[in-house]
Amino acid sequence: QVQLVESGGGLVQPGGSLRLSCAASGFTFSSAVMSWVRQAPGKGLEWVSQINSGGTGTYYANSVKGRFTVSRDNAKNTLYLQMDSLKPEDTAVYFCANAYGHKGQGTQVTVSS
């Protein structure tokens, strides 16, 4: 049974940082391309970032490029998203997803003063 469990969200002021984690189980994590997507209030899902199975290739939406960093630890079956210089428009529920169509329950990120 595939499980993706996100954590690390919260309330942060503009300009602040958060680090999201996604603990994966039930599939071969080290072989899977992984992604972060987000959903802002009243909007659809937005792709944020992707990382290849070995962690050597990373990709970002223009809206987060230069501020967010995706990484993974295949020994720990864990995906990360370091978010710096956060803006109010980054407020959303953040989900991790694997290449097989599975998505976690999400973690709320709120950027507000």
Side-chain angles (χ1 to χ4, degrees):
Q1 178 183 355
V2 173
Q3 283 198 314
L4 296 167
V5 180
E6 302 91 341
S7 61
L11 174 64
V12 63
Q13 292 187 340
S17 298
L18 282 175
R19 189 193 196 202
L20 305 184
S21 299
C22 170
S25 62
F27 64 102
T28 306
F29 179 79
S30 58
S31 298
V33 173
M34 296 294 297
S35 299
W36 287 98
V37 296
R38 67 186 181 185
Q39 186 166 24
K43 298 189 177 180
L45 281 174
E46 176 190 14
W47 174 76
V48 174
S49 181
Q50 186 178 83
I51 185 168
N52 68 4
S53 59
T56 57
T58 57
Y59 310 90
Y60 300 94
N62 287 336
S63 58
V64 307
K65 197 173 295 182
R67 301 187 297 119
F68 290 11
T69 304
V70 62
S71 62
R72 64 192 298 161
D73 186 336
N74 285 344
K76 295 183 178 180
N77 284 1
T78 303
L79 176 72
Y80 303 101
L81 185 68
Q82 177 67 41
M83 305 187 297
D84 299 317
S85 302
L86 282 161
K87 304 175 181 180
E89 51 263 44
D90 294 317
T91 294
V93 179
Y94 284 72
F95 303 88
C96 65
N98 67 16
Y100 314 119
H102 302 101
K103 185 163 61 70
Q105 85 291 344
T107 186
Q108 175 71 48
V109 171
T110 302
V111 185
S112 175
S113 55

